[in-house]
Amino acid sequence: MAALPGFDRRALLRGGAAATAAGAIGLTTTGTAHAAASPGRTRTSHARIAEPRIYSTEEWGARPASGEIVVEDHKPTFIVVHHTAEPGNSEDYSLEHAMKICRDIQNHHMDGNGWSDSGQQFTNSRGGFRLEGRHKSLSVVRGGTQHVQGANVGGHNSEVIGIENEGLYTDVDVPAALWSSLVQLVAWIASQYGTDLANIKGHRDFNSTECPGDVLYGRLQELRDAVGGVLGVSSPSSDDVLAWPLLKPGAVGADVRAAQHLLRGVGFKVPTDGVFGTETRRAVAELAARNGVERHTCSAAYHCRTDETGYLGSDIWPLLTSSSRTTGGEETEDAIATLQRSRRRRAKLSSGGKLTQSDWKRLLS
């Protein structure tokens, strides 16, 4: 999310061992109920846990914000994991380095992006140091009823708290220290708000971006499980947390072929060869533009320099997947058949000829 010259956000989030729950964080009294449970999920109580050490904006030497810090008068629905990607996976694990990262991110966001302050609410370093991002984020979370609006998830900034993890995690794992501090930070935020653990998400669950990298994103279920252990509640299973796949240029396979059928169903002349080539990318980009899809606000410079236009992710699939099997004519049926043939088990679909978004996610999972 957080972009800065030479700073890589993807490497940050994926690392080593999962923290075992209650040992890392002190449990105290029983906390509040879930603020925003997913449809059909039971609301459960979280244990209140002690606040981990989080360095404030004053401690790391933040500049004053150049504009108003907006405080949303409601709890956030989601806790969102990002990676900084640049300047890569540093082996400097010191507190001084962590503080410098925060200053670099803030400088980039304010001077490069023209924002009023850092885009993320919190930063987590490879050395396991947790730091406040945007001003007031820490004190407002302590209150447990409001949250500071950031700039880290396109179209959803009023709903989320974003955590920028130092590093690039497209193909390497996160350090054990980063992972442990991430578990503690997410657990504390969730305990303050009563967050449904199914709402611990990655940036790509909202926008068509690689963030937080394949490796870190692939560990989100592990993160939910670890946080549930800390809070003393059961975590949702992976079957309960359905997600849209991210398709990028160069991808091949049944998901791509199904997407091509769906693109044809809404009027684009693309091949159905299962290869995400130039024509498919162009069609996806045009579909996004036609529908006014907001470009993601990933603050990492890596994602600004890497052209992610035409990626097919969470904000594009809903434009293609109709609830009616007759929309798109034979192309919709061909897409469904392609996906069902490619899966070892057939997805259970809703009856009555209607397809929910969950049905489509199951088909694509």
Side-chain angles (χ1 to χ4, degrees):
M1 282 181 60
L4 51 142
F7 186 85
D8 201 288
R9 82 180 263 165
R10 290 184 174 175
L12 186 76
L13 282 182
R14 208 191 150 219
T20 55
I25 307 175
L27 296 177
T28 57
T29 59
T30 302
T32 59
H34 286 269
S38 301
R41 289 185 50 78
T42 302
R43 296 187 176 205
T44 58
S45 295
H46 291 345
R48 279 281 185 175
I49 64 172
E51 179 182 323
R53 179 65 165 102
I54 302 170
Y55 292 87
S56 68
T57 51
E58 182 179 5
E59 288 177 295
W60 57 259
R63 297 159 55 180
S66 64
E68 178 188 5
I69 298 297
V70 176
V71 178
E72 298 282 353
D73 195 20
H74 58 87
K75 298 179 181 183
T77 302
F78 305 99
I79 300 171
V80 180
V81 172
H82 301 262
H83 66 176
T84 60
E86 299 168 347
N89 298 330
S90 172
E91 294 185 1
D92 185 344
Y93 304 114
S94 67
L95 175 59
E96 293 73 18
H97 173 73
M99 290 182 171
K100 181 180 184 301
I101 287 170
C102 289
R103 292 191 294 271
D104 288 345
I105 291 174
Q106 187 189 40
N107 288 338
H108 176 74
H109 287 179
M110 294 179 71
D111 302 334
N113 293 357
W115 298 348
S116 63
D117 198 359
S118 300
Q120 78 283 8
Q121 284 89 345
F122 294 95
T123 305
N124 185 33
S125 81
R126 285 173 60 81
F129 294 103
R130 295 164 294 267
L131 306 97
E132 185 179 26
R134 181 162 287 205
H135 285 81
K136 295 187 180 180
S137 295
L138 180 55
S139 62
V140 173
V141 173
R142 284 170 176 159
T145 60
Q146 301 172 308
H147 72 285
V148 166
Q149 183 188 111
N152 54 80
V153 177
H156 298 274
N157 283 309
S158 65
E159 306 170 76
V160 307
I161 283 189
I163 301 171
E164 197 71 59
N165 293 273
E166 178 198 359
L168 175 64
Y169 301 108
T170 54
D171 52 18
V172 299
D173 210 345
V174 298
L178 183 150
W179 180 259
S180 178
S181 60
L182 177 63
V183 171
Q184 294 177 31
L185 178 57
V186 172
W188 175 66
I189 295 171
S191 77
Q192 291 298 107
Y193 293 122
T195 308
D196 186 335
L197 301 191
N199 290 338
I200 298 171
K201 301 285 190 179
H203 187 180
R204 70 171 65 173
D205 287 317
F206 300 90
N207 302 138
S208 295
T209 175
E210 284 191 273
C211 183
D214 288 347
V215 179
L216 183 56
Y217 184 78
R219 295 189 69 183
L220 287 184
Q221 183 59 42
E222 185 182 349
L223 178 61
R224 297 181 193 104
D225 292 342
V227 169
V230 171
L231 298 177
V233 299
S234 58
S235 59
S237 71
S238 56
D239 289 339
D240 293 325
V241 187
L242 299 170
W244 298 109
L246 176 68
L247 301 182
K248 303 178 293 184
V252 297
D255 286 0
V256 176
R257 184 174 289 108
Q260 290 171 328
H261 280 297
L262 294 171
L263 284 165
R264 289 168 66 90
V266 294
F268 291 97
K269 295 180 180 179
V270 295
T272 54
D273 56 2
V275 178
F276 200 126
T278 302
E279 292 175 74
T280 300
R281 181 176 191 174
R282 186 182 300 119
V284 172
E286 186 176 337
L287 177 68
R290 282 183 187 177
N291 287 275
V293 175
E294 182 177 345
R295 183 169 173 79
H296 68 73
T297 53
C298 188
S299 31
Y302 177 93
H303 297 286
C304 296
R305 290 195 305 269
T306 301
D307 184 9
E308 295 183 332
T309 303
Y311 283 23
L312 203 171
S314 296
D315 47 5
I316 304 298
W317 282 110
L319 304 176
L320 292 172
T321 49
S322 171
S323 62
S324 172
R325 296 180 69 144
T326 61
T327 300
E330 293 181 358
E331 298 292 353
T332 299
E333 287 299 328
D334 287 344
I336 294 170
T338 295
L339 293 170
Q340 288 181 325
R341 283 195 303 268
S342 69
R343 270 47 181 180
R344 291 181 180 177
R345 56 175 183 169
R346 293 175 70 89
K348 270 190 171 182
L349 303 180
S350 303
S351 59
K354 297 291 186 181
L355 289 174
T356 66
Q357 296 288 281
S358 293
D359 288 331
W360 280 107
K361 289 177 182 178
R362 288 190 187 94
L363 282 167
L364 287 157
S365 64

